[in-house]
Amino acid sequence: MTTQKFMGRNSLVDRLSAQVGNKDQAIAILKARGHLDDSGKLTATGQKRDNMTAMERALDRAKTRT
């Protein structure tokens, strides 16, 4: 699913929430990825991702796939 909302920095949770349609589900996904800890705070990895724009995250994903 694509969305044009929350494309900037510091919108990791909001962007994923918009994509999956549910904030609780987005938080569960981010916890499983290690981007949020059990209390819901960003981990170091999560903070790094949160500081990226949507385009920067897409480029980062592309780099890891090749």
Side-chain angles (χ1 to χ4, degrees):
M1 170 178 239
T2 61
T3 181
Q4 294 302 308
K5 292 181 179 182
F6 311 111
M7 298 290 283
R9 298 179 194 285
N10 304 315
S11 61
L12 186 65
V13 176
D14 293 331
R15 177 145 177 88
L16 188 56
S17 295
Q19 289 175 324
V20 299
N22 182 315
K23 187 171 184 171
D24 292 333
Q25 185 178 7
I27 289 171
I29 291 168
L30 291 170
K31 284 182 180 180
R33 290 180 183 168
H35 295 157
L36 291 177
D37 63 18
D38 289 334
S39 66
K41 291 184 141 193
L42 289 168
T43 62
T45 306
Q47 188 64 46
K48 179 182 171 187
R49 301 288 292 175
D50 195 40
N51 287 333
M52 296 179 182
T53 64
M55 178 61 78
E56 290 168 336
R57 287 191 300 272
L59 292 171
D60 188 57
R61 285 190 305 272
K63 280 193 289 189
T64 60
R65 288 185 185 146
T66 59

mmCIF file of all heavy atoms in Angstrom, residues 21-56:
data_model
loop_
_atom_site.group_PDB
_atom_site.id
_atom_site.type_symbol
_atom_site.label_atom_id
_atom_site.label_comp_id
_atom_site.label_asym_id
_atom_site.label_seq_id
_atom_site.Cartn_x
_atom_site.Cartn_y
_atom_site.Cartn_z
ATOM 1 N N GLY A 21 -2.973 0.810 8.458
ATOM 2 C CA GLY A 21 -4.321 1.170 8.856
ATOM 3 C C GLY A 21 -4.620 1.028 10.332
ATOM 4 O O GLY A 21 -5.761 1.148 10.748
ATOM 5 N N ASN A 22 -3.582 0.773 11.144
ATOM 6 C CA ASN A 22 -3.819 0.541 12.562
ATOM 7 C C ASN A 22 -2.528 0.840 13.327
ATOM 8 O O ASN A 22 -1.494 0.227 13.057
ATOM 9 C CB ASN A 22 -4.239 -0.915 12.772
ATOM 10 C CG ASN A 22 -4.562 -1.249 14.197
ATOM 11 O OD1 ASN A 22 -3.849 -0.879 15.109
ATOM 12 N ND2 ASN A 22 -5.654 -1.974 14.376
ATOM 13 N N LYS A 23 -2.589 1.748 14.287
ATOM 14 C CA LYS A 23 -1.390 2.131 15.031
ATOM 15 C C LYS A 23 -0.857 0.988 15.883
ATOM 16 O O LYS A 23 0.356 0.782 15.971
ATOM 17 C CB LYS A 23 -1.665 3.353 15.896
ATOM 18 C CG LYS A 23 -0.416 3.899 16.547
ATOM 19 C CD LYS A 23 -0.658 5.231 17.212
ATOM 20 C CE LYS A 23 0.660 5.761 17.754
ATOM 21 N NZ LYS A 23 0.546 7.125 18.217
ATOM 22 N N ASP A 24 -1.751 0.213 16.510
ATOM 23 C CA ASP A 24 -1.295 -0.910 17.335
ATOM 24 C C ASP A 24 -0.550 -1.951 16.512
ATOM 25 O O ASP A 24 0.456 -2.505 16.950
ATOM 26 C CB ASP A 24 -2.472 -1.565 18.056
ATOM 27 C CG ASP A 24 -3.079 -0.658 19.124
ATOM 28 O OD1 ASP A 24 -2.344 0.196 19.670
ATOM 29 O OD2 ASP A 24 -4.279 -0.800 19.401
ATOM 30 N N GLN A 25 -1.043 -2.207 15.315
ATOM 31 C CA GLN A 25 -0.374 -3.162 14.429
ATOM 32 C C GLN A 25 0.988 -2.613 13.987
ATOM 33 O O GLN A 25 1.965 -3.352 13.932
ATOM 34 C CB GLN A 25 -1.243 -3.458 13.215
ATOM 35 C CG GLN A 25 -0.676 -4.531 12.322
ATOM 36 C CD GLN A 25 -1.586 -4.848 11.135
ATOM 37 O OE1 GLN A 25 -2.594 -4.175 10.905
ATOM 38 N NE2 GLN A 25 -1.228 -5.857 10.385
ATOM 39 N N ALA A 26 1.046 -1.330 13.707
ATOM 40 C CA ALA A 26 2.309 -0.711 13.312
ATOM 41 C C ALA A 26 3.337 -0.815 14.438
ATOM 42 O O ALA A 26 4.503 -1.135 14.201
ATOM 43 C CB ALA A 26 2.085 0.745 12.926
ATOM 44 N N ILE A 27 2.900 -0.573 15.659
ATOM 45 C CA ILE A 27 3.803 -0.674 16.810
ATOM 46 C C ILE A 27 4.297 -2.111 16.975
ATOM 47 O O ILE A 27 5.479 -2.342 17.229
ATOM 48 C CB ILE A 27 3.108 -0.150 18.081
ATOM 49 C CG1 ILE A 27 2.968 1.369 17.986
ATOM 50 C CG2 ILE A 27 3.866 -0.555 19.342
ATOM 51 C CD1 ILE A 27 2.126 2.000 19.066
ATOM 52 N N ALA A 28 3.417 -3.076 16.783
ATOM 53 C CA ALA A 28 3.819 -4.486 16.885
ATOM 54 C C ALA A 28 4.860 -4.830 15.817
ATOM 55 O O ALA A 28 5.832 -5.539 16.097
ATOM 56 C CB ALA A 28 2.606 -5.390 16.753
ATOM 57 N N ILE A 29 4.673 -4.329 14.614
ATOM 58 C CA ILE A 29 5.632 -4.579 13.528
ATOM 59 C C ILE A 29 6.980 -3.963 13.870
ATOM 60 O O ILE A 29 8.034 -4.599 13.713
ATOM 61 C CB ILE A 29 5.093 -4.017 12.191
ATOM 62 C CG1 ILE A 29 3.888 -4.838 11.725
ATOM 63 C CG2 ILE A 29 6.188 -3.983 11.128
ATOM 64 C CD1 ILE A 29 3.112 -4.205 10.586
ATOM 65 N N LEU A 30 6.967 -2.719 14.348
ATOM 66 C CA LEU A 30 8.217 -2.044 14.685
ATOM 67 C C LEU A 30 8.928 -2.711 15.856
ATOM 68 O O LEU A 30 10.160 -2.768 15.890
ATOM 69 C CB LEU A 30 7.955 -0.564 14.969
ATOM 70 C CG LEU A 30 7.542 0.252 13.738
ATOM 71 C CD1 LEU A 30 7.073 1.638 14.144
ATOM 72 C CD2 LEU A 30 8.666 0.328 12.723
ATOM 73 N N LYS A 31 8.179 -3.235 16.807
ATOM 74 C CA LYS A 31 8.793 -3.991 17.908
ATOM 75 C C LYS A 31 9.439 -5.261 17.377
ATOM 76 O O LYS A 31 10.553 -5.619 17.780
ATOM 77 C CB LYS A 31 7.761 -4.327 18.971
ATOM 78 C CG LYS A 31 7.402 -3.157 19.854
ATOM 79 C CD LYS A 31 6.399 -3.562 20.919
ATOM 80 C CE LYS A 31 6.035 -2.403 21.824
ATOM 81 N NZ LYS A 31 5.055 -2.791 22.849
ATOM 82 N N ALA A 32 8.756 -5.959 16.472
ATOM 83 C CA ALA A 32 9.303 -7.190 15.893
ATOM 84 C C ALA A 32 10.570 -6.915 15.089
ATOM 85 O O ALA A 32 11.482 -7.740 15.062
ATOM 86 C CB ALA A 32 8.252 -7.863 15.013
ATOM 87 N N ARG A 33 10.637 -5.758 14.464
ATOM 88 C CA ARG A 33 11.823 -5.372 13.688
ATOM 89 C C ARG A 33 12.958 -4.872 14.567
ATOM 90 O O ARG A 33 14.075 -4.678 14.094
ATOM 91 C CB ARG A 33 11.462 -4.256 12.698
ATOM 92 C CG ARG A 33 10.582 -4.683 11.574
ATOM 93 C CD ARG A 33 10.294 -3.498 10.685
ATOM 94 N NE ARG A 33 9.382 -3.838 9.618
ATOM 95 C CZ ARG A 33 8.783 -2.944 8.843
ATOM 96 N NH1 ARG A 33 8.995 -1.661 9.020
ATOM 97 N NH2 ARG A 33 7.963 -3.340 7.894
ATOM 98 N N GLY A 34 12.654 -4.605 15.841
ATOM 99 C CA GLY A 34 13.665 -4.085 16.742
ATOM 100 C C GLY A 34 13.793 -2.576 16.710
ATOM 101 O O GLY A 34 14.762 -2.017 17.217
ATOM 102 N N HIS A 35 12.815 -1.887 16.132
ATOM 103 C CA HIS A 35 12.863 -0.432 16.060
ATOM 104 C C HIS A 35 12.228 0.223 17.277
ATOM 105 O O HIS A 35 12.485 1.396 17.545
ATOM 106 C CB HIS A 35 12.179 0.060 14.786
ATOM 107 C CG HIS A 35 12.885 -0.377 13.548
ATOM 108 N ND1 HIS A 35 12.271 -0.464 12.334
ATOM 109 C CD2 HIS A 35 14.160 -0.779 13.321
ATOM 110 C CE1 HIS A 35 13.122 -0.890 11.417
ATOM 111 N NE2 HIS A 35 14.285 -1.089 12.014
ATOM 112 N N LEU A 36 11.408 -0.530 18.012
ATOM 113 C CA LEU A 36 10.824 -0.061 19.269
ATOM 114 C C LEU A 36 11.118 -1.093 20.346
ATOM 115 O O LEU A 36 11.141 -2.288 20.071
ATOM 116 C CB LEU A 36 9.298 0.096 19.152
ATOM 117 C CG LEU A 36 8.737 1.198 18.274
ATOM 118 C CD1 LEU A 36 7.214 1.117 18.235
ATOM 119 C CD2 LEU A 36 9.169 2.562 18.770
ATOM 120 N N ASP A 37 11.322 -0.614 21.579
ATOM 121 C CA ASP A 37 11.496 -1.558 22.679
ATOM 122 C C ASP A 37 10.125 -1.922 23.249
ATOM 123 O O ASP A 37 9.097 -1.457 22.761
ATOM 124 C CB ASP A 37 12.450 -1.003 23.739
ATOM 125 C CG ASP A 37 11.950 0.263 24.405
ATOM 126 O OD1 ASP A 37 10.740 0.573 24.326
ATOM 127 O OD2 ASP A 37 12.777 0.958 25.032
ATOM 128 N N ASP A 38 10.109 -2.730 24.286
ATOM 129 C CA ASP A 38 8.845 -3.191 24.860
ATOM 130 C C ASP A 38 7.999 -2.068 25.440
ATOM 131 O O ASP A 38 6.784 -2.180 25.526
ATOM 132 C CB ASP A 38 9.099 -4.256 25.924
ATOM 133 C CG ASP A 38 9.567 -5.565 25.312
ATOM 134 O OD1 ASP A 38 9.242 -5.831 24.139
ATOM 135 O OD2 ASP A 38 10.267 -6.320 26.016
ATOM 136 N N SER A 39 8.638 -0.969 25.839
ATOM 137 C CA SER A 39 7.884 0.160 26.394
ATOM 138 C C SER A 39 7.389 1.114 25.304
ATOM 139 O O SER A 39 6.714 2.090 25.605
ATOM 140 C CB SER A 39 8.736 0.923 27.409
ATOM 141 O OG SER A 39 9.835 1.545 26.768
ATOM 142 N N GLY A 40 7.749 0.837 24.049
ATOM 143 C CA GLY A 40 7.294 1.673 22.937
ATOM 144 C C GLY A 40 8.228 2.805 22.576
ATOM 145 O O GLY A 40 7.895 3.648 21.745
ATOM 146 N N LYS A 41 9.420 2.820 23.169
ATOM 147 C CA LYS A 41 10.410 3.852 22.847
ATOM 148 C C LYS A 41 11.282 3.374 21.686
ATOM 149 O O LYS A 41 11.548 2.183 21.547
ATOM 150 C CB LYS A 41 11.296 4.144 24.049
ATOM 151 C CG LYS A 41 10.580 4.834 25.172
ATOM 152 C CD LYS A 41 11.552 5.173 26.270
ATOM 153 C CE LYS A 41 11.206 6.526 26.814
ATOM 154 N NZ LYS A 41 12.260 7.057 27.652
ATOM 155 N N LEU A 42 11.735 4.324 20.885
ATOM 156 C CA LEU A 42 12.609 3.986 19.773
ATOM 157 C C LEU A 42 13.948 3.458 20.276
ATOM 158 O O LEU A 42 14.533 4.013 21.202
ATOM 159 C CB LEU A 42 12.853 5.217 18.898
ATOM 160 C CG LEU A 42 11.677 5.700 18.060
ATOM 161 C CD1 LEU A 42 11.974 7.076 17.485
ATOM 162 C CD2 LEU A 42 11.367 4.722 16.954
ATOM 163 N N THR A 43 14.415 2.392 19.657
ATOM 164 C CA THR A 43 15.760 1.882 19.928
ATOM 165 C C THR A 43 16.743 2.713 19.115
ATOM 166 O O THR A 43 16.342 3.598 18.353
ATOM 167 C CB THR A 43 15.867 0.408 19.525
ATOM 168 O OG1 THR A 43 15.636 0.301 18.120
ATOM 169 C CG2 THR A 43 14.874 -0.458 20.285
ATOM 170 N N ALA A 44 18.021 2.434 19.239
ATOM 171 C CA ALA A 44 19.029 3.153 18.445
ATOM 172 C C ALA A 44 18.769 2.948 16.957
ATOM 173 O O ALA A 44 18.838 3.893 16.163
ATOM 174 C CB ALA A 44 20.427 2.685 18.826
ATOM 175 N N THR A 45 18.450 1.721 16.574
ATOM 176 C CA THR A 45 18.133 1.429 15.170
ATOM 177 C C THR A 45 16.863 2.155 14.748
ATOM 178 O O THR A 45 16.793 2.713 13.653
ATOM 179 C CB THR A 45 17.951 -0.087 14.964
ATOM 180 O OG1 THR A 45 19.106 -0.760 15.452
ATOM 181 C CG2 THR A 45 17.748 -0.428 13.505
ATOM 182 N N GLY A 46 15.863 2.146 15.615
ATOM 183 C CA GLY A 46 14.619 2.836 15.321
ATOM 184 C C GLY A 46 14.808 4.330 15.190
ATOM 185 O O GLY A 46 14.213 4.975 14.314
ATOM 186 N N GLN A 47 15.648 4.906 16.039
ATOM 187 C CA GLN A 47 15.926 6.345 15.960
ATOM 188 C C GLN A 47 16.609 6.684 14.647
ATOM 189 O O GLN A 47 16.289 7.695 14.018
ATOM 190 C CB GLN A 47 16.795 6.779 17.145
ATOM 191 C CG GLN A 47 16.979 8.271 17.247
ATOM 192 C CD GLN A 47 15.683 8.998 17.512
ATOM 193 O OE1 GLN A 47 14.908 8.598 18.361
ATOM 194 N NE2 GLN A 47 15.441 10.053 16.777
ATOM 195 N N LYS A 48 17.527 5.821 14.230
ATOM 196 C CA LYS A 48 18.210 6.039 12.951
ATOM 197 C C LYS A 48 17.197 6.027 11.810
ATOM 198 O O LYS A 48 17.229 6.894 10.939
ATOM 199 C CB LYS A 48 19.263 4.945 12.739
ATOM 200 C CG LYS A 48 20.011 5.048 11.447
ATOM 201 C CD LYS A 48 21.005 3.903 11.298
ATOM 202 C CE LYS A 48 21.600 3.895 9.905
ATOM 203 N NZ LYS A 48 22.438 2.731 9.673
ATOM 204 N N ARG A 49 16.269 5.062 11.825
ATOM 205 C CA ARG A 49 15.242 4.978 10.771
ATOM 206 C C ARG A 49 14.283 6.163 10.848
ATOM 207 O O ARG A 49 13.856 6.687 9.838
ATOM 208 C CB ARG A 49 14.448 3.686 10.892
ATOM 209 C CG ARG A 49 15.255 2.418 10.808
ATOM 210 C CD ARG A 49 15.774 2.109 9.476
ATOM 211 N NE ARG A 49 14.720 1.765 8.548
ATOM 212 C CZ ARG A 49 14.934 1.545 7.260
ATOM 213 N NH1 ARG A 49 16.141 1.586 6.784
ATOM 214 N NH2 ARG A 49 13.954 1.253 6.461
ATOM 215 N N ASP A 50 13.944 6.574 12.067
ATOM 216 C CA ASP A 50 13.009 7.681 12.260
ATOM 217 C C ASP A 50 13.599 8.997 11.755
ATOM 218 O O ASP A 50 12.866 9.881 11.324
ATOM 219 C CB ASP A 50 12.638 7.792 13.740
ATOM 220 C CG ASP A 50 11.418 8.652 13.980
ATOM 221 O OD1 ASP A 50 10.450 8.565 13.190
ATOM 222 O OD2 ASP A 50 11.408 9.403 14.970
ATOM 223 N N ASN A 51 14.908 9.125 11.793
ATOM 224 C CA ASN A 51 15.568 10.345 11.314
ATOM 225 C C ASN A 51 15.656 10.402 9.796
ATOM 226 O O ASN A 51 16.086 11.411 9.244
ATOM 227 C CB ASN A 51 16.967 10.473 11.919
ATOM 228 C CG ASN A 51 16.922 10.845 13.379
ATOM 229 O OD1 ASN A 51 15.979 11.478 13.839
ATOM 230 N ND2 ASN A 51 17.927 10.436 14.126
ATOM 231 N N MET A 52 15.255 9.333 9.118
ATOM 232 C CA MET A 52 15.276 9.291 7.654
ATOM 233 C C MET A 52 13.918 9.696 7.092
ATOM 234 O O MET A 52 12.896 9.504 7.725
ATOM 235 C CB MET A 52 15.565 7.871 7.154
ATOM 236 C CG MET A 52 16.887 7.315 7.500
ATOM 237 S SD MET A 52 16.995 5.625 6.824
ATOM 238 C CE MET A 52 18.587 5.147 7.394
ATOM 239 N N THR A 53 13.941 10.250 5.877
ATOM 240 C CA THR A 53 12.693 10.486 5.163
ATOM 241 C C THR A 53 12.247 9.160 4.552
ATOM 242 O O THR A 53 13.007 8.184 4.540
ATOM 243 C CB THR A 53 12.872 11.516 4.035
ATOM 244 O OG1 THR A 53 13.779 10.981 3.062
ATOM 245 C CG2 THR A 53 13.390 12.850 4.561
ATOM 246 N N ALA A 54 11.048 9.121 4.027
ATOM 247 C CA ALA A 54 10.555 7.912 3.377
ATOM 248 C C ALA A 54 11.453 7.515 2.213
ATOM 249 O O ALA A 54 11.737 6.332 2.002
ATOM 250 C CB ALA A 54 9.118 8.117 2.903
ATOM 251 N N MET A 55 11.933 8.485 1.477
ATOM 252 C CA MET A 55 12.818 8.199 0.338
ATOM 253 C C MET A 55 14.145 7.620 0.825
ATOM 254 O O MET A 55 14.656 6.663 0.245
ATOM 255 C CB MET A 55 13.076 9.464 -0.477
ATOM 256 C CG MET A 55 14.027 9.250 -1.638
ATOM 257 S SD MET A 55 13.451 8.050 -2.862
ATOM 258 C CE MET A 55 12.280 9.041 -3.719
ATOM 259 N N GLU A 56 14.690 8.176 1.888
ATOM 260 C CA GLU A 56 15.947 7.657 2.420
ATOM 261 C C GLU A 56 15.781 6.232 2.933
ATOM 262 O O GLU A 56 16.673 5.394 2.738
ATOM 263 C CB GLU A 56 16.453 8.565 3.544
ATOM 264 C CG GLU A 56 16.928 9.913 3.045
ATOM 265 C CD GLU A 56 17.156 10.924 4.149
ATOM 266 O OE1 GLU A 56 16.544 10.786 5.229
ATOM 267 O OE2 GLU A 56 17.947 11.855 3.919
#
